[in-house]
Amino acid sequence: MYDLLIKNGILVTPAESMKANIYVKDEKIAAITDTSSVMEAGRVIDAEGRYVYPGFIDTHVHSRDGGATYKEDFFHSTRAAVAGGLTTIFEMPNAVPAVVDKESFEAQKANLLSKAHVDFAMWGLCVGRLNNDKLRELSECGVGAFKFFWGYAIDKKTYSLIYNYDPSDPNVIPPFDDGEVYSIFEEVAKTGKPIAIHAENADLIKELTANVDVSKYENEFEALLACRPSLAEVLVVNTAIEYAKDTGARLHILHISAKETPEIIRKARRGGVSVTGETCPHYLYLTDKDYDRIGSMIKCYPPVRYQEDQDALWESLKDDTLSLVCSDHAPHTKEEKTGSLFKIPSGMCGLETLAPLMIQAVNDGRIDKNQLARLMSEEPAKMFGIYPQKGSLELGTDADITIVDFDKEYEVDQEKFQSVSKVTAFDGMKIKGCPVYGILRGHVIMENGVITEDEPMGRFIKA
């Protein structure tokens, strides 16, 4: 007898959609049959009229654990992932302490394992000469990729990022020069893992911010955009592509916001460079025109831009220029998100809205159902080395499944979020379509938005 049968659903992969029954045994996908064949199972879910996807994945999550756990922690962020229909997340490495070597990796892995409600993979952090010689061991530990915060200063003790630093502070490592950045690309290339970059030119932003006159702009958000123009993203992306071309590194551009970047990626690929990119729902659903409506909740880095940028990003998802959509989940308290845009932190909750917003995109005709499987399941798993264990509906793989109802209506209510802090630019938004079941390795962990497993059961996934 099988443990679980999902019957009469439409199975969706990037390549095809077909009505079928799917059976689970011992946490693995054990059989897929046509709907006329029904075998015995301990639990049966009738998915008639619903769509059965490989479990959705979010590759870009900041759970603040350890570190600023008054904003978020892994226990609550992974519960948010469950509620949002996700089955696997990738935890970013800029925790306290940061994931910079085998010792810090193992400590963080143990910390996260004790709290995980979904399966998770981990990133490693690049801090130049401080850990270039540790990247190979991190790769062997199983990190999915390496992240480099281009242009940011680093705390000498914790390796945490410093956004506004004092050059005279002896406890600060200044942003790396171009030669040091090149050496990072060289070392990551040797591991075969992707190097992912936060693409904003800090020197340009610093100069523009120092000279900005906010009174000359329509509002404070327009002034912020003037200080962080598309050029800040383009400059770093172009340099990174040249480094990747020369070193053979696999380059990934994080949270793309500017219309120019997808075309730069297309051109680089035609030239044989290994470069991929991602974007986030806030760049796909918000523009500068939304500032008057939602205020400071709009702030993230890179910033939300203009309608032409949003249009270009949607097009780049449809033509496969960009490989995935992720949340960049980065909670702050409501108090921290209140005040001048030039002083408050950037970021918002995203784990519970990522999947519903991308399902809405299918209903809006922005992408199709098969592209949703590519962006939320298969490509994230392939890019970061966990496919087909994750991101597929193949026999013998983990029975991670997200069942979607494209007709069910959903309203975003930040007060109901599972996260410690509850902040989003999408509060009150009405969405058509949402995940109705989340299944992790054959265990039903979410049903109609309600978490059904109280105890953490997530596992670490080695890339």
Side-chain angles (χ1 to χ4, degrees), residues 231-351:
L231 179 61
E233 182 170 297
V234 168
L235 288 172
V236 173
V237 169
N238 277 319
T239 302
I241 284 172
E242 292 303 317
Y243 284 0
K245 181 178 180 181
D246 196 72
T247 63
R250 293 173 56 197
L251 175 63
H252 182 66
I253 314 298
L254 299 165
H255 40 49
I256 292 170
S257 66
K259 65 182 184 298
E260 295 89 351
T261 302
E263 183 53 39
I264 295 170
I265 291 174
R266 294 184 191 104
K267 182 179 178 181
R269 285 182 183 162
R270 291 193 293 268
V273 180
S274 176
V275 55
T276 54
E278 69 184 38
T279 193
C280 309
H282 35 279
Y283 304 119
L284 296 169
Y285 278 91
L286 303 174
T287 71
D288 63 306
K289 302 300 182 185
D290 290 295
Y291 173 68
D292 288 339
R293 178 176 60 86
I294 59 180
S296 59
M297 294 300 170
I298 199 172
K299 185 182 177 182
C300 55
Y301 286 159
V304 167
R305 301 192 187 277
Y306 303 103
Q307 188 63 55
E308 55 265 33
D309 296 286
Q310 185 186 107
D311 293 343
L313 294 175
W314 279 118
E315 194 59 38
S316 69
L317 293 177
K318 292 181 70 172
D319 69 10
D320 295 352
T321 299
L322 299 188
S323 302
L324 61 96
V325 178
C326 55
S327 70
D328 193 8
H329 179 78
H332 300 283
T333 67
K334 291 180 181 178
E335 292 76 18
E336 287 175 325
K337 291 290 287 184
T338 302
S340 168
L341 292 178
F342 285 89
K343 294 180 179 180
I344 65 171
S346 65
M348 67 185 84
C349 293
L351 283 163

Side-chain angles (χ1 to χ4, degrees), residues 366-421:
R366 298 279 198 173
I367 56 174
D368 62 37
K369 292 182 174 71
N370 301 96
Q371 286 173 320
L372 180 65
R374 177 182 72 85
L375 295 167
M376 293 288 295
S377 304
E378 185 171 297
E379 279 301 317
K382 283 183 172 179
M383 185 180 303
F384 298 112
I386 61 172
Y387 184 89
Q389 179 183 1
K390 304 294 185 183
S392 79
L393 294 176
E394 296 184 14
L395 296 179
T397 62
D398 287 355
D400 290 356
I401 293 166
T402 303
I403 302 178
V404 172
D405 185 337
F406 282 95
D407 295 319
K408 185 173 181 178
E409 295 184 348
Y410 164 77
E411 183 173 343
V412 179
D413 183 351
Q414 65 186 13
E415 295 307 318
K416 295 180 180 179
F417 280 1
Q418 295 291 326
S419 293
V420 174
S421 296

Side-chain angles (χ1 to χ4, degrees), residues 20 28 39 52 59 70 92 109 192 223 229 257 261 307 317-318 336 370 416 424 426 439 443 452 454:
K28 304 292 183 182
M39 296 178 281
V52 179
T59 60
Y70 69 93
M92 281 294 173
K109 174 183 168 183
S257 66
T261 302
Q307 188 63 55
L317 293 177
K318 292 181 70 172
E336 287 175 325
N370 301 96
K416 295 180 180 179
T424 176
F426 299 107
I439 299 167
H443 304 277
T452 56
D454 290 331

